[in-house]
């Protein structure tokens, strides 16, 4: 297989720095540049933690792609930047692998249409952890038998979006199997606003933000006399990198946008 040239956006971030390590240590992948809102014109090797990794740093995506066009852009930034990067990459014939969360449905639709028009692969995965994907799939299976469910997602307190992309994706997958139902007592009233969490199709999503956490989720189903809890924990960001690697390799063979790691795993 030919070497896949990779650009990483957000290399100083918690996820981006792991992605740099993963690409650097993976045969068949070659890091050719990084996109960073600071440090334009420097070499990555000048930044703390990246000694010996001599690739150029760009702040502008167009300049970056003009200097040397990658095959794949890995984006691990913020919702606003991630959307612009993904759109620009598709417009310029670069395949995006996006871990950044917080895109709106309209943005996802626009990117799906653009990938189709350009016949270019793109993967947007709100969760790269294989265990989290299984948690979502098991929840989808259980939803056929349990229509009452609450999703509790727990993340570190620097996370920008709530609920998490994984929680929303889980709710979507559950909704595809669950009989629509407004849960709880019909006369239920919140004495403190937000106490019952966000409402997705009648089921509730609760977002916990605490230092010390990384990425965790529980999906709790309830029925007469029983509960079923499906739980996944990511204890470090390296847990996401095997998923990122699979996505980078797979996106080269796609010609549409795929949303969710579960749709590319066997
Ligand atoms: P983070 O530590 O805050 O890193 C984000 C990085 O993006 C920061 O270094 C930030 O730089 C940089 N950035 C912001 N604007 C930029 C721009 N215009 N160009 C280039 N870089 C820019 O966040 P994180 O924890 O790594 O998470 C990154 C994203 O991945 C988030 O959306 C998060 O929800 C998502 N995530 C996904 C998964 C998954 O499995 N898919 C797992 C964990 C997290 P500054 O610090 O200078 O602003």
């Amino acid at each position: 297989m030919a070497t896949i040239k990779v650009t990483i956006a957000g290399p100083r971030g918690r996820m981006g720095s792991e992605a740099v390590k993963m690409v650097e240590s993976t045969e068949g992948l070659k890091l050719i540049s990084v996109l960073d809102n600071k440090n334009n014109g420097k070499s990555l090797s000048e930044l703390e933690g990246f000694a010996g990794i001599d690739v150029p740093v760009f702040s502008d995506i167009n300049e970056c792609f003009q200097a040397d066009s990658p095959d794949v852009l890995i984006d691990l930034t913020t919702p606003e930047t991630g959307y612009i990067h993904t759109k620009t990459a598709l417009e310029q014939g670069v395949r995006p692998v996006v871990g950044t969360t917080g895109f709106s449905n309209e943005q996802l639709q626009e990117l799906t249409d653009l990938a189709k028009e350009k016949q270019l692969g793109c993967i947007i995965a709100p969760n790269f952890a294989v265990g989290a994907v299984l948690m979502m799939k098991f929840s989808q299976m259980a939803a056929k038998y349990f229509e009452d469910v609450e999703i509790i997602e727990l993340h570190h307190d620097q996370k920008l979006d709530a609920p998490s992309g994984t929680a929303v994706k889980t709710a979507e997958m559950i909704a595809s199997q669950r009989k629509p139902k407004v849960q709880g007592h019909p006369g239920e009233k919140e004495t403190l606003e937000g106490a019952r969490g966000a409402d997705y199709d009648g089921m509730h999503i609760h977002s916990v933000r605490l230092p010390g956490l990384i990425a965790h989720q529980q999906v709790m189903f309830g029925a007469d006399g029983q509960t079923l809890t499906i739980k996944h924990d990511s204890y470090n960001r390296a847990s996401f990198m095997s998923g990122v690697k699979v996505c980078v390799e797979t996106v080269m063979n796609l010609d549409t946008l795929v949303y969710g790691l579960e749709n590319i795993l066997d």
Side-chain angles (χ1 to χ4, degrees), residues 78-96:
T78 61
E80 297 75 24
T81 299
Y83 168 69
I84 294 167
H85 281 172
T86 308
K87 195 172 168 201
T88 310
L90 285 170
E91 283 165 351
Q92 301 203 17
V94 174
R95 293 173 151 82

Side-chain angles (χ1 to χ4, degrees), residues 78-124:
T78 61
E80 297 75 24
T81 299
Y83 168 69
I84 294 167
H85 281 172
T86 308
K87 195 172 168 201
T88 310
L90 285 170
E91 283 165 351
Q92 301 203 17
V94 174
R95 293 173 151 82
V97 167
V98 183
T100 305
T101 57
F103 292 178
S104 68
N105 286 340
E106 291 71 31
Q107 288 175 327
L108 287 173
Q109 189 57 55
E110 194 190 330
L111 295 170
T112 303
D113 293 345
L114 184 58
K116 193 173 169 196
E117 182 197 319
K118 300 282 180 187
Q119 297 191 327
L120 211 57
C122 173
I123 298 174
I124 300 182

Side-chain angles (χ1 to χ4, degrees), residues 8-17 35-38 58-59 75-79 81-82 85 98-102 125-129 155-156 158-161 165-166 214-215 237 240 244:
I8 295 176
R12 284 179 297 106
R14 286 160 292 208
M15 286 289 283
S17 53
L35 271 167
D36 183 4
N37 48 336
K38 299 171 186 135
F58 294 92
S59 292
D75 191 276
L76 295 159
T77 58
T78 61
T81 299
H85 281 172
V98 183
T100 305
T101 57
N127 201 318
F128 285 120
H155 281 83
H156 59 90
Q158 298 305 302
K159 186 168 176 58
L160 292 177
D161 52 320
T166 303
I214 303 270
R237 286 170 180 90
F240 300 113
V244 179

Side-chain angles (χ1 to χ4, degrees), residues 38-190:
K38 299 171 186 135
N39 304 302
N40 185 45
K42 289 190 178 169
S43 162
L44 185 60
S45 59
E46 294 173 63
L47 309 191
E48 201 186 327
F50 298 108
I53 309 179
D54 186 20
V55 298
V57 180
F58 294 92
S59 292
D60 182 89
I61 189 167
N62 293 301
E63 276 177 32
C64 177
F65 289 175
Q66 269 158 25
D68 189 0
S69 187
D71 299 304
V72 175
L73 169 72
I74 301 175
D75 191 276
L76 295 159
T77 58
T78 61
E80 297 75 24
T81 299
Y83 168 69
I84 294 167
H85 281 172
T86 308
K87 195 172 168 201
T88 310
L90 285 170
E91 283 165 351
Q92 301 203 17
V94 174
R95 293 173 151 82
V97 167
V98 183
T100 305
T101 57
F103 292 178
S104 68
N105 286 340
E106 291 71 31
Q107 288 175 327
L108 287 173
Q109 189 57 55
E110 194 190 330
L111 295 170
T112 303
D113 293 345
L114 184 58
K116 193 173 169 196
E117 182 197 319
K118 300 282 180 187
Q119 297 191 327
L120 211 57
C122 173
I123 298 174
I124 300 182
N127 201 318
F128 285 120
V130 174
V133 169
L134 292 174
M135 168 193 63
M136 290 189 253
K137 284 209 166 195
F138 296 155
S139 301
Q140 188 178 31
M141 284 166 70
K144 202 168 158 193
Y145 306 98
F146 292 85
E147 58 203 31
D148 287 83
V149 53
E150 306 249 337
I151 300 171
I152 304 149
E153 57 95 343
L154 308 91
H155 281 83
H156 59 90
D157 64 346
Q158 298 305 302
K159 186 168 176 58
L160 292 177
D161 52 320
S164 71
T166 303
V168 173
K169 180 73 189 165
T170 308
E172 285 168 8
M173 288 172 69
I174 289 174
S176 72
Q177 296 295 319
R178 169 182 172 268
K179 281 196 223 119
K181 176 175 180 183
V182 177
Q183 292 177 198
H185 193 286
E188 179 180 271
K189 279 201 178 60
E190 287 181 336

